[in-house]
Amino acid sequence: LTFDLVSGGQRRSTGSYYTPPSLVNELIENALVPVMHERLDDAGSDTDARIQALMGLRILDPDQEFVLSGYLEDELGFRHIRFTQVYDALPVFPCELTVHINPNGKVKTLNGTYIPTPRNVSVTPHIDADHARQAIVAENPELNSGTFSLPELVIDGVFERTPNLAWKFDVEMGWTKRWRVLVNAQTGRVIELYSIAEHVGVQGSGIDGAGRL
């Protein structure tokens, strides 16, 4: 199995940021190619099934779709480079890939998720952010008293769903009650609501500064 990278070069030619080809190659070799082999193995020997397996993984232009969104070098000299998948300048949520590079410049691991390049997805919302918020409260009246984040227009990139334009909100009702909500930006339907609160209940003992238990 071979995979040829064809660089689009559009962002580079216009002077805007583009992802360096060397890093895109690392993404391909460490993320796309292993998944391709896995899908081909699952498809068996049937030619049509193998073609469909590869078509389902298609990334049309990695240079355009993976945008550098974070960089960190830790105390051990490892570099951690995060890429966000985008479609027509909108983030594909929750699709990100992080490359972990050792001090010798070799890729150690790569983790994250991505979807095949979305096709024919309109990036012009039919429902504005205010109507999307109203739809959330209509289905979940208890959230009306919460604090809503600024709305973000994204491509819903959850793998088992067809990509669609969506409004994304975070709603906070205290540090133990935080919710993330996606609303279809064309129909106003609430796609998904789930908790993003980070909390844990534990029991234990210790000694304070005065030596008391």
Side-chain angles (χ1 to χ4, degrees):
L1 175 66
T2 60
F3 190 95
D4 295 325
L5 171 63
V6 179
S7 178
Q10 181 178 352
R11 271 182 282 167
R12 176 171 48 188
S13 64
T14 58
S16 53
Y17 183 82
Y18 75 102
T19 306
S22 59
L23 292 178
V24 175
N25 278 322
E26 298 291 358
L27 288 176
I28 291 171
E29 292 297 327
N30 291 277
L32 300 183
V33 171
V35 176
M36 286 180 177
H37 283 293
E38 180 181 343
R39 292 293 180 88
L40 287 173
D41 290 342
D42 291 343
S45 59
D46 182 78
T47 301
D48 289 339
R50 291 171 69 85
I51 291 173
Q52 289 300 316
L54 291 179
M55 291 293 289
L57 292 169
R58 176 173 290 176
I59 298 293
L60 296 183
D61 189 350
D63 179 44
Q64 296 290 318
E65 290 187 52
F66 293 111
V67 176
L68 183 67
S69 57
Y71 176 91
L72 173 68
E73 184 168 351
D74 63 28
E75 64 276 8
L76 298 178
F78 283 79
R79 291 176 291 153
H80 311 277
I81 306 171
R82 186 173 69 250
F83 297 88
T84 296
Q85 187 175 4
V86 299
Y87 172 80
D88 204 357
L90 293 177
V92 180
F93 178 80
C95 298
E96 292 185 337
L97 292 172
T98 302
V99 183
H100 307 278
I101 302 175
N102 68 21
N104 296 322
K106 301 295 184 181
V107 172
K108 181 69 174 178
T109 58
L110 184 145
N111 60 280
T113 185
Y114 67 93
I115 61 171
T117 302
R119 292 176 175 272
N120 303 318
V121 178
S122 172
V123 295
T124 303
H126 181 69
I127 302 296
D128 64 25
D130 287 339
H131 283 88
R133 175 171 173 164
Q134 292 171 18
I136 294 171
V137 173
E139 287 195 19
N140 307 273
E142 69 279 6
L143 297 185
N144 190 42
S145 60
T147 301
F148 279 70
S149 67
L150 292 175
E152 183 181 9
L153 201 57
V154 302
I155 302 299
D156 174 24
V158 175
F159 195 79
E160 61 266 21
R161 295 196 290 260
T162 300
N164 279 294
L165 189 66
W167 289 106
K168 180 170 74 72
F169 296 86
D170 289 347
V171 186
E172 185 168 348
M173 302 180 67
W175 70 275
T176 62
K177 294 182 179 180
R178 298 179 63 232
W179 308 91
R180 179 158 292 157
V181 195
L182 293 176
V183 179
N184 189 303
Q186 308 300 354
T187 67
R189 180 178 65 86
V190 176
I191 301 170
E192 188 172 27
L193 183 152
Y194 58 92
S195 174
I196 56 172
E198 298 179 358
H199 63 90
V200 62
V202 297
Q203 292 183 338
S205 63
I207 299 176
D208 66 14
R212 297 182 297 250
L213 283 174

PDB file of all heavy atoms in Angstrom, residues 58-90:
ATOM      1  N   ARG A  58     -10.790   9.030   2.970  1.00  0.00           N
ATOM      2  CA  ARG A  58     -10.159  10.023   2.090  1.00  0.00           C
ATOM      3  C   ARG A  58      -9.996  11.379   2.769  1.00  0.00           C
ATOM      4  O   ARG A  58     -10.936  11.950   3.300  1.00  0.00           O
ATOM      5  CB  ARG A  58     -10.984  10.189   0.814  1.00  0.00           C
ATOM      6  CG  ARG A  58     -10.449  11.272  -0.126  1.00  0.00           C
ATOM      7  CD  ARG A  58     -11.170  11.284  -1.427  1.00  0.00           C
ATOM      8  NE  ARG A  58     -10.842  10.105  -2.216  1.00  0.00           N
ATOM      9  CZ  ARG A  58     -11.412   9.843  -3.391  1.00  0.00           C
ATOM     10  NH1 ARG A  58     -12.320  10.644  -3.878  1.00  0.00           N
ATOM     11  NH2 ARG A  58     -11.066   8.750  -4.054  1.00  0.00           N
ATOM     12  N   ILE A  59      -8.782  11.875   2.763  1.00  0.00           N
ATOM     13  CA  ILE A  59      -8.460  13.247   3.136  1.00  0.00           C
ATOM     14  C   ILE A  59      -7.963  13.912   1.867  1.00  0.00           C
ATOM     15  O   ILE A  59      -6.897  13.581   1.358  1.00  0.00           O
ATOM     16  CB  ILE A  59      -7.388  13.302   4.234  1.00  0.00           C
ATOM     17  CG1 ILE A  59      -7.877  12.628   5.513  1.00  0.00           C
ATOM     18  CG2 ILE A  59      -6.986  14.741   4.514  1.00  0.00           C
ATOM     19  CD1 ILE A  59      -9.014  13.330   6.201  1.00  0.00           C
ATOM     20  N   LEU A  60      -8.745  14.836   1.323  1.00  0.00           N
ATOM     21  CA  LEU A  60      -8.446  15.363   0.002  1.00  0.00           C
ATOM     22  C   LEU A  60      -7.179  16.209  -0.020  1.00  0.00           C
ATOM     23  O   LEU A  60      -6.409  16.155  -0.974  1.00  0.00           O
ATOM     24  CB  LEU A  60      -9.636  16.183  -0.514  1.00  0.00           C
ATOM     25  CG  LEU A  60     -10.939  15.403  -0.735  1.00  0.00           C
ATOM     26  CD1 LEU A  60     -12.008  16.325  -1.318  1.00  0.00           C
ATOM     27  CD2 LEU A  60     -10.709  14.205  -1.662  1.00  0.00           C
ATOM     28  N   ASP A  61      -6.944  17.017   1.002  1.00  0.00           N
ATOM     29  CA  ASP A  61      -5.786  17.910   0.996  1.00  0.00           C
ATOM     30  C   ASP A  61      -5.307  18.115   2.437  1.00  0.00           C
ATOM     31  O   ASP A  61      -5.733  19.043   3.116  1.00  0.00           O
ATOM     32  CB  ASP A  61      -6.157  19.259   0.372  1.00  0.00           C
ATOM     33  CG  ASP A  61      -4.941  20.144   0.143  1.00  0.00           C
ATOM     34  OD1 ASP A  61      -3.848  19.801   0.643  1.00  0.00           O
ATOM     35  OD2 ASP A  61      -5.075  21.184  -0.530  1.00  0.00           O
ATOM     36  N   PRO A  62      -4.430  17.228   2.919  1.00  0.00           N
ATOM     37  CA  PRO A  62      -3.953  17.370   4.305  1.00  0.00           C
ATOM     38  C   PRO A  62      -3.341  18.736   4.590  1.00  0.00           C
ATOM     39  O   PRO A  62      -3.467  19.253   5.697  1.00  0.00           O
ATOM     40  CB  PRO A  62      -2.904  16.250   4.423  1.00  0.00           C
ATOM     41  CG  PRO A  62      -3.298  15.248   3.393  1.00  0.00           C
ATOM     42  CD  PRO A  62      -3.857  16.049   2.248  1.00  0.00           C
ATOM     43  N   ASP A  63      -2.676  19.332   3.612  1.00  0.00           N
ATOM     44  CA  ASP A  63      -2.038  20.632   3.793  1.00  0.00           C
ATOM     45  C   ASP A  63      -3.056  21.703   4.171  1.00  0.00           C
ATOM     46  O   ASP A  63      -2.761  22.637   4.918  1.00  0.00           O
ATOM     47  CB  ASP A  63      -1.311  21.021   2.501  1.00  0.00           C
ATOM     48  CG  ASP A  63      -0.647  22.378   2.598  1.00  0.00           C
ATOM     49  OD1 ASP A  63      -0.026  22.643   3.638  1.00  0.00           O
ATOM     50  OD2 ASP A  63      -0.758  23.159   1.644  1.00  0.00           O
ATOM     51  N   GLN A  64      -4.293  21.569   3.655  1.00  0.00           N
ATOM     52  CA  GLN A  64      -5.336  22.540   3.937  1.00  0.00           C
ATOM     53  C   GLN A  64      -6.168  22.158   5.160  1.00  0.00           C
ATOM     54  O   GLN A  64      -6.699  23.030   5.859  1.00  0.00           O
ATOM     55  CB  GLN A  64      -6.270  22.669   2.721  1.00  0.00           C
ATOM     56  CG  GLN A  64      -5.609  23.209   1.476  1.00  0.00           C
ATOM     57  CD  GLN A  64      -5.255  24.674   1.609  1.00  0.00           C
ATOM     58  OE1 GLN A  64      -6.023  25.461   2.122  1.00  0.00           O
ATOM     59  NE2 GLN A  64      -4.061  25.038   1.155  1.00  0.00           N
ATOM     60  N   GLU A  65      -6.293  20.872   5.425  1.00  0.00           N
ATOM     61  CA  GLU A  65      -7.256  20.417   6.428  1.00  0.00           C
ATOM     62  C   GLU A  65      -6.696  20.305   7.840  1.00  0.00           C
ATOM     63  O   GLU A  65      -7.466  20.324   8.804  1.00  0.00           O
ATOM     64  CB  GLU A  65      -7.847  19.064   6.015  1.00  0.00           C
ATOM     65  CG  GLU A  65      -8.760  19.160   4.811  1.00  0.00           C
ATOM     66  CD  GLU A  65      -9.475  17.858   4.524  1.00  0.00           C
ATOM     67  OE1 GLU A  65     -10.103  17.310   5.442  1.00  0.00           O
ATOM     68  OE2 GLU A  65      -9.381  17.382   3.377  1.00  0.00           O
ATOM     69  N   PHE A  66      -5.391  20.154   7.997  1.00  0.00           N
ATOM     70  CA  PHE A  66      -4.802  20.046   9.324  1.00  0.00           C
ATOM     71  C   PHE A  66      -4.043  21.332   9.634  1.00  0.00           C
ATOM     72  O   PHE A  66      -2.997  21.605   9.058  1.00  0.00           O
ATOM     73  CB  PHE A  66      -3.876  18.832   9.420  1.00  0.00           C
ATOM     74  CG  PHE A  66      -4.619  17.529   9.313  1.00  0.00           C
ATOM     75  CD1 PHE A  66      -4.470  16.716   8.202  1.00  0.00           C
ATOM     76  CD2 PHE A  66      -5.463  17.117  10.328  1.00  0.00           C
ATOM     77  CE1 PHE A  66      -5.158  15.517   8.101  1.00  0.00           C
ATOM     78  CE2 PHE A  66      -6.158  15.918  10.242  1.00  0.00           C
ATOM     79  CZ  PHE A  66      -5.998  15.118   9.125  1.00  0.00           C
ATOM     80  N   VAL A  67      -4.579  22.128  10.548  1.00  0.00           N
ATOM     81  CA  VAL A  67      -4.035  23.445  10.873  1.00  0.00           C
ATOM     82  C   VAL A  67      -3.390  23.391  12.251  1.00  0.00           C
ATOM     83  O   VAL A  67      -3.979  22.883  13.212  1.00  0.00           O
ATOM     84  CB  VAL A  67      -5.154  24.504  10.853  1.00  0.00           C
ATOM     85  CG1 VAL A  67      -4.607  25.857  11.285  1.00  0.00           C
ATOM     86  CG2 VAL A  67      -5.753  24.602   9.461  1.00  0.00           C
ATOM     87  N   LEU A  68      -2.178  23.906  12.342  1.00  0.00           N
ATOM     88  CA  LEU A  68      -1.475  23.951  13.614  1.00  0.00           C
ATOM     89  C   LEU A  68      -2.274  24.766  14.628  1.00  0.00           C
ATOM     90  O   LEU A  68      -2.627  25.910  14.385  1.00  0.00           O
ATOM     91  CB  LEU A  68      -0.100  24.573  13.422  1.00  0.00           C
ATOM     92  CG  LEU A  68       0.800  24.638  14.652  1.00  0.00           C
ATOM     93  CD1 LEU A  68       1.213  23.243  15.092  1.00  0.00           C
ATOM     94  CD2 LEU A  68       2.025  25.490  14.359  1.00  0.00           C
ATOM     95  N   SER A  69      -2.580  24.153  15.781  1.00  0.00           N
ATOM     96  CA  SER A  69      -3.390  24.848  16.788  1.00  0.00           C
ATOM     97  C   SER A  69      -2.757  24.847  18.170  1.00  0.00           C
ATOM     98  O   SER A  69      -3.305  25.445  19.097  1.00  0.00           O
ATOM     99  CB  SER A  69      -4.789  24.221  16.871  1.00  0.00           C
ATOM    100  OG  SER A  69      -4.711  22.829  17.160  1.00  0.00           O
ATOM    101  N   GLY A  70      -1.627  24.180  18.345  1.00  0.00           N
ATOM    102  CA  GLY A  70      -0.970  24.194  19.646  1.00  0.00           C
ATOM    103  C   GLY A  70       0.417  23.589  19.589  1.00  0.00           C
ATOM    104  O   GLY A  70       0.679  22.687  18.771  1.00  0.00           O
ATOM    105  N   TYR A  71       1.312  24.104  20.442  1.00  0.00           N
ATOM    106  CA  TYR A  71       2.687  23.604  20.479  1.00  0.00           C
ATOM    107  C   TYR A  71       3.189  23.679  21.913  1.00  0.00           C
ATOM    108  O   TYR A  71       3.000  24.689  22.605  1.00  0.00           O
ATOM    109  CB  TYR A  71       3.587  24.437  19.568  1.00  0.00           C
ATOM    110  CG  TYR A  71       5.046  24.041  19.612  1.00  0.00           C
ATOM    111  CD1 TYR A  71       5.550  23.083  18.730  1.00  0.00           C
ATOM    112  CD2 TYR A  71       5.919  24.613  20.529  1.00  0.00           C
ATOM    113  CE1 TYR A  71       6.892  22.705  18.769  1.00  0.00           C
ATOM    114  CE2 TYR A  71       7.250  24.249  20.579  1.00  0.00           C
ATOM    115  CZ  TYR A  71       7.733  23.298  19.693  1.00  0.00           C
ATOM    116  OH  TYR A  71       9.047  22.924  19.751  1.00  0.00           O
ATOM    117  N   LEU A  72       3.829  22.599  22.364  1.00  0.00           N
ATOM    118  CA  LEU A  72       4.393  22.576  23.719  1.00  0.00           C
ATOM    119  C   LEU A  72       5.668  21.751  23.700  1.00  0.00           C
ATOM    120  O   LEU A  72       5.697  20.659  23.126  1.00  0.00           O
ATOM    121  CB  LEU A  72       3.392  21.953  24.705  1.00  0.00           C
ATOM    122  CG  LEU A  72       3.906  21.704  26.133  1.00  0.00           C
ATOM    123  CD1 LEU A  72       4.162  23.044  26.836  1.00  0.00           C
ATOM    124  CD2 LEU A  72       2.914  20.868  26.926  1.00  0.00           C
ATOM    125  N   GLU A  73       6.712  22.274  24.320  1.00  0.00           N
ATOM    126  CA  GLU A  73       7.936  21.506  24.534  1.00  0.00           C
ATOM    127  C   GLU A  73       8.083  21.284  26.030  1.00  0.00           C
ATOM    128  O   GLU A  73       8.106  22.241  26.814  1.00  0.00           O
ATOM    129  CB  GLU A  73       9.154  22.227  23.977  1.00  0.00           C
ATOM    130  CG  GLU A  73      10.440  21.409  24.098  1.00  0.00           C
ATOM    131  CD  GLU A  73      11.593  21.984  23.310  1.00  0.00           C
ATOM    132  OE1 GLU A  73      11.372  22.919  22.521  1.00  0.00           O
ATOM    133  OE2 GLU A  73      12.742  21.487  23.483  1.00  0.00           O
ATOM    134  N   ASP A  74       8.169  19.998  26.447  1.00  0.00           N
ATOM    135  CA  ASP A  74       8.207  19.719  27.879  1.00  0.00           C
ATOM    136  C   ASP A  74       9.640  19.721  28.410  1.00  0.00           C
ATOM    137  O   ASP A  74      10.608  19.939  27.669  1.00  0.00           O
ATOM    138  CB  ASP A  74       7.483  18.399  28.199  1.00  0.00           C
ATOM    139  CG  ASP A  74       8.137  17.179  27.563  1.00  0.00           C
ATOM    140  OD1 ASP A  74       9.361  17.198  27.325  1.00  0.00           O
ATOM    141  OD2 ASP A  74       7.422  16.187  27.301  1.00  0.00           O
ATOM    142  N   GLU A  75       9.772  19.461  29.727  1.00  0.00           N
ATOM    143  CA  GLU A  75      11.082  19.548  30.377  1.00  0.00           C
ATOM    144  C   GLU A  75      12.037  18.447  29.933  1.00  0.00           C
ATOM    145  O   GLU A  75      13.253  18.536  30.164  1.00  0.00           O
ATOM    146  CB  GLU A  75      10.915  19.502  31.905  1.00  0.00           C
ATOM    147  CG  GLU A  75      10.341  18.220  32.461  1.00  0.00           C
ATOM    148  CD  GLU A  75       8.829  18.179  32.417  1.00  0.00           C
ATOM    149  OE1 GLU A  75       8.227  19.098  31.807  1.00  0.00           O
ATOM    150  OE2 GLU A  75       8.243  17.247  32.990  1.00  0.00           O
ATOM    151  N   LEU A  76      11.518  17.399  29.285  1.00  0.00           N
ATOM    152  CA  LEU A  76      12.363  16.311  28.794  1.00  0.00           C
ATOM    153  C   LEU A  76      12.804  16.532  27.344  1.00  0.00           C
ATOM    154  O   LEU A  76      13.524  15.706  26.787  1.00  0.00           O
ATOM    155  CB  LEU A  76      11.627  14.982  28.919  1.00  0.00           C
ATOM    156  CG  LEU A  76      11.238  14.554  30.342  1.00  0.00           C
ATOM    157  CD1 LEU A  76      10.457  13.240  30.308  1.00  0.00           C
ATOM    158  CD2 LEU A  76      12.478  14.424  31.222  1.00  0.00           C
ATOM    159  N   GLY A  77      12.352  17.622  26.755  1.00  0.00           N
ATOM    160  CA  GLY A  77      12.734  17.911  25.381  1.00  0.00           C
ATOM    161  C   GLY A  77      11.796  17.345  24.338  1.00  0.00           C
ATOM    162  O   GLY A  77      12.062  17.459  23.134  1.00  0.00           O
ATOM    163  N   PHE A  78      10.696  16.716  24.764  1.00  0.00           N
ATOM    164  CA  PHE A  78       9.694  16.228  23.821  1.00  0.00           C
ATOM    165  C   PHE A  78       8.843  17.397  23.341  1.00  0.00           C
ATOM    166  O   PHE A  78       8.481  18.281  24.129  1.00  0.00           O
ATOM    167  CB  PHE A  78       8.801  15.170  24.470  1.00  0.00           C
ATOM    168  CG  PHE A  78       9.432  13.820  24.591  1.00  0.00           C
ATOM    169  CD1 PHE A  78      10.345  13.551  25.608  1.00  0.00           C
ATOM    170  CD2 PHE A  78       9.122  12.805  23.700  1.00  0.00           C
ATOM    171  CE1 PHE A  78      10.938  12.312  25.727  1.00  0.00           C
ATOM    172  CE2 PHE A  78       9.712  11.560  23.808  1.00  0.00           C
ATOM    173  CZ  PHE A  78      10.624  11.306  24.822  1.00  0.00           C
ATOM    174  N   ARG A  79       8.509  17.387  22.055  1.00  0.00           N
ATOM    175  CA  ARG A  79       7.622  18.391  21.485  1.00  0.00           C
ATOM    176  C   ARG A  79       6.258  17.768  21.214  1.00  0.00           C
ATOM    177  O   ARG A  79       6.175  16.646  20.706  1.00  0.00           O
ATOM    178  CB  ARG A  79       8.215  18.971  20.210  1.00  0.00           C
ATOM    179  CG  ARG A  79       9.452  19.829  20.436  1.00  0.00           C
ATOM    180  CD  ARG A  79      10.056  20.287  19.134  1.00  0.00           C
ATOM    181  NE  ARG A  79      10.644  19.167  18.399  1.00  0.00           N
ATOM    182  CZ  ARG A  79      10.776  19.126  17.083  1.00  0.00           C
ATOM    183  NH1 ARG A  79      10.350  20.124  16.337  1.00  0.00           N
ATOM    184  NH2 ARG A  79      11.342  18.087  16.501  1.00  0.00           N
ATOM    185  N   HIS A  80       5.222  18.499  21.534  1.00  0.00           N
ATOM    186  CA  HIS A  80       3.853  18.033  21.367  1.00  0.00           C
ATOM    187  C   HIS A  80       3.125  19.047  20.479  1.00  0.00           C
ATOM    188  O   HIS A  80       2.894  20.184  20.891  1.00  0.00           O
ATOM    189  CB  HIS A  80       3.165  17.882  22.726  1.00  0.00           C
ATOM    190  CG  HIS A  80       3.988  17.119  23.722  1.00  0.00           C
ATOM    191  ND1 HIS A  80       4.012  15.740  23.763  1.00  0.00           N
ATOM    192  CD2 HIS A  80       4.853  17.555  24.686  1.00  0.00           C
ATOM    193  CE1 HIS A  80       4.844  15.350  24.734  1.00  0.00           C
ATOM    194  NE2 HIS A  80       5.365  16.426  25.290  1.00  0.00           N
ATOM    195  N   ILE A  81       2.805  18.634  19.262  1.00  0.00           N
ATOM    196  CA  ILE A  81       2.262  19.543  18.255  1.00  0.00           C
ATOM    197  C   ILE A  81       0.833  19.120  17.936  1.00  0.00           C
ATOM    198  O   ILE A  81       0.592  17.989  17.497  1.00  0.00           O
ATOM    199  CB  ILE A  81       3.119  19.531  16.983  1.00  0.00           C
ATOM    200  CG1 ILE A  81       4.589  19.833  17.352  1.00  0.00           C
ATOM    201  CG2 ILE A  81       2.619  20.551  15.978  1.00  0.00           C
ATOM    202  CD1 ILE A  81       5.547  19.638  16.201  1.00  0.00           C
ATOM    203  N   ARG A  82      -0.100  20.027  18.174  1.00  0.00           N
ATOM    204  CA  ARG A  82      -1.517  19.721  17.973  1.00  0.00           C
ATOM    205  C   ARG A  82      -2.051  20.361  16.693  1.00  0.00           C
ATOM    206  O   ARG A  82      -1.777  21.525  16.411  1.00  0.00           O
ATOM    207  CB  ARG A  82      -2.345  20.209  19.168  1.00  0.00           C
ATOM    208  CG  ARG A  82      -3.813  19.787  19.091  1.00  0.00           C
ATOM    209  CD  ARG A  82      -4.593  20.135  20.358  1.00  0.00           C
ATOM    210  NE  ARG A  82      -4.779  21.570  20.513  1.00  0.00           N
ATOM    211  CZ  ARG A  82      -4.190  22.317  21.416  1.00  0.00           C
ATOM    212  NH1 ARG A  82      -3.331  21.771  22.275  1.00  0.00           N
ATOM    213  NH2 ARG A  82      -4.429  23.613  21.490  1.00  0.00           N
ATOM    214  N   PHE A  83      -2.799  19.572  15.923  1.00  0.00           N
ATOM    215  CA  PHE A  83      -3.433  20.036  14.693  1.00  0.00           C
ATOM    216  C   PHE A  83      -4.945  19.912  14.833  1.00  0.00           C
ATOM    217  O   PHE A  83      -5.453  18.919  15.355  1.00  0.00           O
ATOM    218  CB  PHE A  83      -2.989  19.208  13.485  1.00  0.00           C
ATOM    219  CG  PHE A  83      -1.520  19.303  13.189  1.00  0.00           C
ATOM    220  CD1 PHE A  83      -0.611  18.443  13.785  1.00  0.00           C
ATOM    221  CD2 PHE A  83      -1.041  20.256  12.303  1.00  0.00           C
ATOM    222  CE1 PHE A  83       0.740  18.532  13.516  1.00  0.00           C
ATOM    223  CE2 PHE A  83       0.312  20.356  12.025  1.00  0.00           C
ATOM    224  CZ  PHE A  83       1.206  19.486  12.630  1.00  0.00           C
ATOM    225  N   THR A  84      -5.656  20.914  14.356  1.00  0.00           N
ATOM    226  CA  THR A  84      -7.115  20.869  14.297  1.00  0.00           C
ATOM    227  C   THR A  84      -7.545  20.636  12.854  1.00  0.00           C
ATOM    228  O   THR A  84      -7.030  21.292  11.945  1.00  0.00           O
ATOM    229  CB  THR A  84      -7.725  22.185  14.817  1.00  0.00           C
ATOM    230  OG1 THR A  84      -7.395  22.342  16.194  1.00  0.00           O
ATOM    231  CG2 THR A  84      -9.241  22.183  14.661  1.00  0.00           C
ATOM    232  N   GLN A  85      -8.477  19.727  12.653  1.00  0.00           N
ATOM    233  CA  GLN A  85      -9.020  19.535  11.310  1.00  0.00           C
ATOM    234  C   GLN A  85     -10.015  20.654  11.027  1.00  0.00           C
ATOM    235  O   GLN A  85     -10.829  21.017  11.883  1.00  0.00           O
ATOM    236  CB  GLN A  85      -9.724  18.179  11.191  1.00  0.00           C
ATOM    237  CG  GLN A  85     -10.168  17.863   9.757  1.00  0.00           C
ATOM    238  CD  GLN A  85     -10.758  16.469   9.622  1.00  0.00           C
ATOM    239  OE1 GLN A  85     -10.903  15.751  10.595  1.00  0.00           O
ATOM    240  NE2 GLN A  85     -11.097  16.088   8.411  1.00  0.00           N
ATOM    241  N   VAL A  86      -9.931  21.232   9.830  1.00  0.00           N
ATOM    242  CA  VAL A  86     -10.830  22.314   9.446  1.00  0.00           C
ATOM    243  C   VAL A  86     -11.480  22.004   8.116  1.00  0.00           C
ATOM    244  O   VAL A  86     -10.972  21.211   7.310  1.00  0.00           O
ATOM    245  CB  VAL A  86     -10.097  23.675   9.369  1.00  0.00           C
ATOM    246  CG1 VAL A  86      -9.505  24.063  10.707  1.00  0.00           C
ATOM    247  CG2 VAL A  86      -9.016  23.649   8.288  1.00  0.00           C
ATOM    248  N   TYR A  87     -12.624  22.635   7.900  1.00  0.00           N
ATOM    249  CA  TYR A  87     -13.331  22.546   6.622  1.00  0.00           C
ATOM    250  C   TYR A  87     -13.834  23.943   6.291  1.00  0.00           C
ATOM    251  O   TYR A  87     -14.610  24.521   7.061  1.00  0.00           O
ATOM    252  CB  TYR A  87     -14.503  21.568   6.718  1.00  0.00           C
ATOM    253  CG  TYR A  87     -15.398  21.556   5.493  1.00  0.00           C
ATOM    254  CD1 TYR A  87     -15.025  20.854   4.342  1.00  0.00           C
ATOM    255  CD2 TYR A  87     -16.607  22.241   5.486  1.00  0.00           C
ATOM    256  CE1 TYR A  87     -15.847  20.839   3.222  1.00  0.00           C
ATOM    257  CE2 TYR A  87     -17.433  22.235   4.369  1.00  0.00           C
ATOM    258  CZ  TYR A  87     -17.050  21.534   3.246  1.00  0.00           C
ATOM    259  OH  TYR A  87     -17.856  21.524   2.122  1.00  0.00           O
ATOM    260  N   ASP A  88     -13.358  24.492   5.194  1.00  0.00           N
ATOM    261  CA  ASP A  88     -13.756  25.837   4.771  1.00  0.00           C
ATOM    262  C   ASP A  88     -13.580  26.845   5.915  1.00  0.00           C
ATOM    263  O   ASP A  88     -14.461  27.662   6.190  1.00  0.00           O
ATOM    264  CB  ASP A  88     -15.195  25.839   4.280  1.00  0.00           C
ATOM    265  CG  ASP A  88     -15.477  26.992   3.321  1.00  0.00           C
ATOM    266  OD1 ASP A  88     -14.559  27.810   3.106  1.00  0.00           O
ATOM    267  OD2 ASP A  88     -16.607  27.086   2.809  1.00  0.00           O
ATOM    268  N   ALA A  89     -12.434  26.742   6.598  1.00  0.00           N
ATOM    269  CA  ALA A  89     -12.014  27.637   7.680  1.00  0.00           C
ATOM    270  C   ALA A  89     -12.765  27.423   8.987  1.00  0.00           C
ATOM    271  O   ALA A  89     -12.521  28.140   9.958  1.00  0.00           O
ATOM    272  CB  ALA A  89     -12.121  29.103   7.260  1.00  0.00           C
ATOM    273  N   LEU A  90     -13.662  26.440   9.060  1.00  0.00           N
ATOM    274  CA  LEU A  90     -14.366  26.132  10.303  1.00  0.00           C
ATOM    275  C   LEU A  90     -13.772  24.887  10.940  1.00  0.00           C
ATOM    276  O   LEU A  90     -13.447  23.920  10.234  1.00  0.00           O
ATOM    277  CB  LEU A  90     -15.859  25.905  10.048  1.00  0.00           C
ATOM    278  CG  LEU A  90     -16.674  27.112   9.606  1.00  0.00           C
ATOM    279  CD1 LEU A  90     -18.116  26.697   9.335  1.00  0.00           C
ATOM    280  CD2 LEU A  90     -16.626  28.218  10.648  1.00  0.00           C
TER     281      LEU A  90
END
